Amino acid sequence: RAPEIEVKLSIVDVSGTVVFFGFSDATSESTPAGTIDADGGTLTAVATNAAGFVIDADLGTSSIYGASVNAGASVQSVDSAIDWADNESRILRVSLDSSGNARLYIDGVQKGYIASAVADVPLCATINYGTRANDGANVVYARYLKKWQDVP
């Protein structure tokens, strides 16, 4: 049904924060902190199917990544080549087509594409975030959340 979700996010301190925004088949997550994150420096997923954006200090960069996992396989990712700066706001949009391909938009411009990103399963819009070890309390603001899909 080609679902899409969009959020305007602000991150106060990027260097100690992990954020995942996207679709996930899990209704709640445990460890790691995000649906897909880079705990230990490598992108991993706790969901079986998920697609979205990862901003994670443990990747060793402030770059915004698009990432997905399909049917529990290895995480696929694409680097947007955009670094997130402290106190910056960005509009992130994840668009899935009927084949499970993901298009990833930052501030209205497509910055990533992942073929066969997810399987055809029920998915929830998900935002999760956390503070990495050895860092103070961090703040992430979700200014708005929009969701829509094609209706036959």
Side-chain angles (χ1 to χ4, degrees):
R1 300 268 164 105
E4 295 189 41
I5 52 175
E6 181 179 284
V7 70
K8 182 174 183 180
L9 279 183
S10 300
I11 303 175
V12 173
D13 178 10
V14 177
S15 66
T17 303
V18 54
V19 177
F20 174 84
F21 167 70
F23 290 102
S24 175
D25 63 357
T27 56
S28 64
E29 311 294 3
S30 55
T31 303
T35 300
I36 300 173
D37 75 6
D39 188 25
T42 302
L43 287 169
T44 57
V46 292
T48 305
N49 286 279
F53 289 96
V54 177
I55 302 95
D56 194 336
D58 279 6
L59 274 174
T61 175
S62 300
S63 194
I64 304 168
Y65 281 81
S68 74
V69 59
N70 184 333
S74 297
V75 172
Q76 304 177 76
S77 67
V78 59
D79 186 347
S80 72
I82 296 175
D83 288 340
W84 200 306
D86 290 349
N87 295 306
E88 196 170 59
S89 294
R90 297 233 177 237
I91 297 171
L92 307 176
R93 182 175 7 136
V94 182
S95 176
L96 299 176
D97 65 24
S98 59
S99 297
N101 303 314
R103 286 175 176 74
L104 304 147
Y105 300 84
I106 300 173
D107 296 328
V109 177
Q110 184 175 331
K111 291 294 184 177
Y113 175 83
I114 301 174
S116 300
V118 293
D120 186 13
V121 296
L123 298 167
C124 299
T126 302
I127 302 173
N128 42 46
Y129 64 92
T131 299
R132 288 297 183 205
N134 302 319
D135 202 77
N138 295 327
V139 179
V140 176
Y141 296 102
R143 302 294 184 187
Y144 69 78
L145 173 65
K146 296 179 184 178
K147 2 182 229 182
W148 64 96
Q149 70 180 25
D150 293 341
V151 178

